[in-house]
Amino acid sequence: AYCYGQPVHIDPMTGFLQGPWGECLAWAKVFEVQSPGWASDPAYQASGPCGQVIEAVVAASPEHMMGQAIQSCERLELACDQAVQAGAPLPVIGQRA
C-alpha cells in the first residue's frame, strides 16, 4: 500500500531505485537477512521478498522504463547485499540489517 500509485524513481547518480519503491526493496532485504527461514515460507515459493518487490516495480513502471527499472533494482539489491556483508547501513534507508 505504501508504494501503490507511486512513480518509479531512479537516482541518476547511483542508478539505484529511489523513493518509496527503493525503501521497500531495501526493507525487503532487511527482512531476508533478519528472517533466515523466509525461504521455506510458502508465501515466498514463487519469488522471495526482494523478488516480489522487483516484480511490483516492473509492474508499476511505464513500458519504456522497464529495463532501467530492473537494472536499478538489481543495483540496489546488490548494494544492499554489500552493505549487509560490511555491516554498514543499507542504501536508501540508512539502516543496518
Side-chain angles (χ1 to χ4, degrees):
Y2 177 65
C3 298
Y4 182 75
Q6 296 294 320
V8 173
H9 291 291
I10 300 168
D11 184 307
M13 297 292 287
T14 63
F16 295 161
L17 185 66
Q18 290 291 304
W21 288 109
E23 293 171 23
C24 191
L25 183 56
W27 283 114
K29 181 54 66 179
V30 170
F31 176 81
E32 287 182 359
V33 170
Q34 292 182 354
S35 306
W38 69 264
S40 59
D41 185 329
Y44 302 113
Q45 270 186 323
S47 188
C50 288
Q52 289 182 13
V53 174
I54 292 169
E55 289 168 4
V57 168
V58 170
S61 298
E63 193 170 333
H64 73 277
M65 274 188 67
M66 285 184 181
Q68 288 175 304
I70 292 168
Q71 286 182 335
S72 71
C73 289
E74 290 172 348
R75 282 189 187 109
L76 179 56
E77 186 176 8
L78 178 61
C80 287
D81 283 333
Q82 291 170 339
V84 167
Q85 294 301 317
L90 276 65
V92 181
I93 60 171
Q95 300 289 321
R96 286 182 171 80

